């Protein structure tokens, strides 16, 4: 059994208002000290979430805070359900982002990475890593993350390096990793290849230049070619036309001059050319365009690469050597204008690719890189979803996933940077053999030569992240107990914006490495957190909310409440100040209610008893409502409807418990009836257990104080590992009769309050009231003290017939249970009262019409179960009775 210590609140007396700064840190430290975050129930079913590793480069933002709020709520819920719960945290090494950061630091010193060399560059990087990793963990803890920090993983540590190298070698041996010269996405800013899904496209205004490509013959004829990229003309190797294009088909087989040069290129026919686009003729530049590259492969065309890694043009660009692409565009257009080679220029809007990380324009470039055969890996990953081994929440994202996977292209995994997992390939300078190895090599496996060198490139960050569900649990160490115990995980929770970057790759690589077993059962995708203006939060728009600043102002529980209450699976949310304020207000309401209950128990501790006689109606009602709530919360959490579960808990606490039961309990205790103390305590304690996964700090603090007021003890007691409420464990089960009867009393009180409000009766003034009810006379009499207190009534007359109440100068409200009549003398206008009753009658008549229409529907009567039909009949009869009562009242006012 764990060695644990008793929780001791810092302040013995509860403050008059909740102050999270004095609560959160001590409680978190106590949780950690007592090892509550580690799996501790080996006999139970496991529940595992692997935390999406945040990038090492920056502070946590609200997206991370939402992830923590959701995952921690799920983790705490399952821990309280008694599952062997593991939430495994980690950090991503963020290869390109960190590499760029260190290079930026070097530039500020007037140096480049090549000036300092790879070893010093990596030393600097690791120093940055060590300083930042602890900061990320500290921020997670401020957010209340109950993750097992002793198991924290890092995508670039030694264990993960072993998993990366093992996966690379296995894929290579199986022919699923290969090296090839292909067209890639080259980021000039990152100076590296990036994958297709790391390119984001934005529509930009540009131009369509219609350029004359003069034929290489005796004629003065030209072929008009339309292009948006005249700067790549020096790399042209052909002009393609559609053989079915009557305008240009006769030119196939001829040659033409590359504008501004004396070089000639062939005119070829290809049915892929869109006759309707531009001039119907396409300049073919295989080194710098994917469509052109495909055409070049079909026609066996040469490849001319005119681009340097830094984005300038090389010697193959002729007189444009050393210039940037933008400057080259301007100059070559001017040159062609001077040569009268431009027929016309049209405005044109087209999609331009930008690097997802640095926003630099991405250039297509032919380069030799390492690739993964993603099509082969995608096949079992598709099967895992279509066979329902993996479910998406919300389900609409299954189509998104399948559509992308079914059209997946080979994945370029090599990056021309130094920070990251270096590709585990060694090249022999003597025999040319390529050695792929899990361990470092100092000799060639083919000829034993020591003249070997490792590949300079590193792997795409997402390669190591794709191994996260099993590498964090110890794979490929087959004897690791965590892997056997906690794989596959139950839930992968993340944002929908990285379904391709991360989710798909985890499924592919995990199935490959783990003998076909998918990495998780459910993919829960949350939306983005947007600013109050509806835009994605960014520094440039100035709409960022710093989660740590929000915690300082509203408390961690207030922030978590605001985030979860606004989220639903797959949908974006706006985080407003009002929601944050609501979170803080709710925490204060919880605190004040707890303070009242605890003080009440201490004031009357000698009168608290667990022995109960026949429970009062309100006791039966609150216990029945609590049983209903616990069942509904269980259903909602099981279906990942966290915001609705939180809303229902909040509404029950605020409306049913605080506004009704607590107020009635005060009245009973004031009248020296102390029996509500037990139900009051049990109900509030259950609320704290229900709310704990969402608002862990305040619930733990109050729960500890409440336990000490119930039965002081030196034994360890912790809400974090207490049982989550279950209606089967609540002594008073669902009691529909109690709910119906108490609801009738509530309606009477609401009607009294409505009458007071509508007639602007002073709050301090007590008014006379007649309650006319035949069905609920006993309930009204038993709760008369509460009715008088909550309605500010004196005297209260309880009668069973309308004739026993006054009819002159009164205002009334008809309810399902009877009629509320308040004599108001000259405080109201008779015509207004008649108008109000007529309006009520119209509303009730509309309800009668709706019920008649439903009951007259033959399809409804044939398909609906008899209890449902009877329920609708009962509604109709109740509405008719209410209409009759309103009509009677109208007639009485007319007589008056």
């Amino acid at each position: 059994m764990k060695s644990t210590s008793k929780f001791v609140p810092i302040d013995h007396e509860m403050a008059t208002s909740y102050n999270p700064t004095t609560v959160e840190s001590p409680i978190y430290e106590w949780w950690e000290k007592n090892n509550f975050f580690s799996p501790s129930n080996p006999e139970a079913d496991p529940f595992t979430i692997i935390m999406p590793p945040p990038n090492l480069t920056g502070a946590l933002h609200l997206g991370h805070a939402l992830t923590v709020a959701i995952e921690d709520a799920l983790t705490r819920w399952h821990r309280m359900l008694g599952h062997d719960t593991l939430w495994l945290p980690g950090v991503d090494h963020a290869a390109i982002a960190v590499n760029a950061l260190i290079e930026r630091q070097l530039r500020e010193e007037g140096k480049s990475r090549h000036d300092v060399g790879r070893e010093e560059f990596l030393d600097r990087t690791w120093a940055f890593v060590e300083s930042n990793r602890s900061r990320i963990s500290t921020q997670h803890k401020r957010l209340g993350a109950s993750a097992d920090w002793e198991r924290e993983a890092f995508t670039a540590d030694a264990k993960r390096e072993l998993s990366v190298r093992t996966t690379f070698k296995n894929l290579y041996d199986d022919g699923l990793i290969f090296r090839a010269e292909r067209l890639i996405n080259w980021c000039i800013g990152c100076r590296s290849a990036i994958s297709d899904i790391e390119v984001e496209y934005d529509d930009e205004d540009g131009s369509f230049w219609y350029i004359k490509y003069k034929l290489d013959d005796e004629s003065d004829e030209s072929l008009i070619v339309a292009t948006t990229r005249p700067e790549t003309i020096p790399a042209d190797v052909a002009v393609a036309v559609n053989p079915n294009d009557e305008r240009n088909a006769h030119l196939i087989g001829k040659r033409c001059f590359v504008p501004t040069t004396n070089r000639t290129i062939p005119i070829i026919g290809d049915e892929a050319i869109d006759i309707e686009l531009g001039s119907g003729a396409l300049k073919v530049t295989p080194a710098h365009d994917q469509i052109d590259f495909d055409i070049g492969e079909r026609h066996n065309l040469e490849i001319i690469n005119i681009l340097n890694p830094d984005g300038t043009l090389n010697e193959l660009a002729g007189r444009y050597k050393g210039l940037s692409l933008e400057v080259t565009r301007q100059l070559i257009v001017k040159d062609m204008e001077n040569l009268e080679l431009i027929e016309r220029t049209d405005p044109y809007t087209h999609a331009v690719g930008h690097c997802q990380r640095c926003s630099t324009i991405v250039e297509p470039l032919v380069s030799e890189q390492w690739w993964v055969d993603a099509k082969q890996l995608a096949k079992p990953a598709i099967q895992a979803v279509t066979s329902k081994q993996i479910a998406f929440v919300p389900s609409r994202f299954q189509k998104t996933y399948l559509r992308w996977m079914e059209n997946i292209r080979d994945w370029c995994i090599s990056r021309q940077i130094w920070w990251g997992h270096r590709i585990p390939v060694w090249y022999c300078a003597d025999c040319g053999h390529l050695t792929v190895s899990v361990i470092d090599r100092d000799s060639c496996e083919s000829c034993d030569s020591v003249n070997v060198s490792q590949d300079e490139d590193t792997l795409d960050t997402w390669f190591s992240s794709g191994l996260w569900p099993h590498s964090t649990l110890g794979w490929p160490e087959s004897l690791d107990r965590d892997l056997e115990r906690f794989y596959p995980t139950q839930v992968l929770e993340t944002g929908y914006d990285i379904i391709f970057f991360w989710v798909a790759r985890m499924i592919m690589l995990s199935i490959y490495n783990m003998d076909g077993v998918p990495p998780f059962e459910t993919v829960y995708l949350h939306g983005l957190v947007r600013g109050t203006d509806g835009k994605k939060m960014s520094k440039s728009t100035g709409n960022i909310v710093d989660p740590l600043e929000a915690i300082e102002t509203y408390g961690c529980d207030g922030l978590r409440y605001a985030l979860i209450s606004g989220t639903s699976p797959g949908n974006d949310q706006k985080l407003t100040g009002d929601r944050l304020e609501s979170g803080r207000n709710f925490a204060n309401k919880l605190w004040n209610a707890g303070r009242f209950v605890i003080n009440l128990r201490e004031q009357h501790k000698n009168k608290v008893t667990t022995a109960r006689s026949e429970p009062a109606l309100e006791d039966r009602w609150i216990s029945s409502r609590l049983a209903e709530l616990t069942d509904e919360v269980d259903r909602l959490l099981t279906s990942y409807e966290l915001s609705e579960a939180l809303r229902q808990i909040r509404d029950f606490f605020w409306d049913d418990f605080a506004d009704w039961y607590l107020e009635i309990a005060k009245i009973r205790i004031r009248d020296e009836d102390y029996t509500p103390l037990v139900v009051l305590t049990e109900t509030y304690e259950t609320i704290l257990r229900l709310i704990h996964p969402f608002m862990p700090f305040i619930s733990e603090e109050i729960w500890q104080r409440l336990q000490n007021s119930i039965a002081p003890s030196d034994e360890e007691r912790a809400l974090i590992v207490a049982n989550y409420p279950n209606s089967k464990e609540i002594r008073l089960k669902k009691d529909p009769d109690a709910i119906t009867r108490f609801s009738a009393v509530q309606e009477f009180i609401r009607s009294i309050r409505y009458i007071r409000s509508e007639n602007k009766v002073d709050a301090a003034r007590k008014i006379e009231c007649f309650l006319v009810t035949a069905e609920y006379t006993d309930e009204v009499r038993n709760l008369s003290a509460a009715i008088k207190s909550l309605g500010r009534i004196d005297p209260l007359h309880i009668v069973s017939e309308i004739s026993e109440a006054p009819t002159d100068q009164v205002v009334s409200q008809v309810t399902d249970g009877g009629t509320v009549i308040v004599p108001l003398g000259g405080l109201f206008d008779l015509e207004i009262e008649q108008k109000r009753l007529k309006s009520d009658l119209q509303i009730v008549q509309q309800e009668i019409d709706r019920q008649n229409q439903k009951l007259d529907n033959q399809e409804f009567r044939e398909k609906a179960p008899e209890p449902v039909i009877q329920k609708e009949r009962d509604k109709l009869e109740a509405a008719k009775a209410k209409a009759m009562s309103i009509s009677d009242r109208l007639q009485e006012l007319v007589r008056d």
Side-chain angles (χ1 to χ4, degrees), residues 48 50 381 384 389-390 466-470 473 486-492 502-512 514 516-523:
T48 313
I50 306 296
Q389 292 175 274
I390 298 175
L467 309 176
W468 201 236
H470 52 285
L473 295 172
F486 297 110
Y487 186 93
T489 67
Q490 279 60 58
V491 182
L492 182 279
W502 192 42
V503 177
R505 286 163 173 169
M506 280 192 290
I507 295 173
M508 289 191 293
L509 292 174
S510 294
I511 289 175
Y512 174 78
M514 299 302 294
V517 179
F520 26 73
E521 298 167 3
T522 301
V523 178

Side-chain angles (χ1 to χ4, degrees), residues 713-733:
S713 173
D714 291 330
E715 296 180 5
E716 167 247 323
R717 293 182 295 200
L719 177 57
I720 190 174
V721 290
N723 292 331
Y724 202 72
N726 184 316
S727 65
K728 295 176 183 177
E729 299 170 1
I730 298 176
R731 277 186 281 178
L732 294 178
K733 311 298 183 188

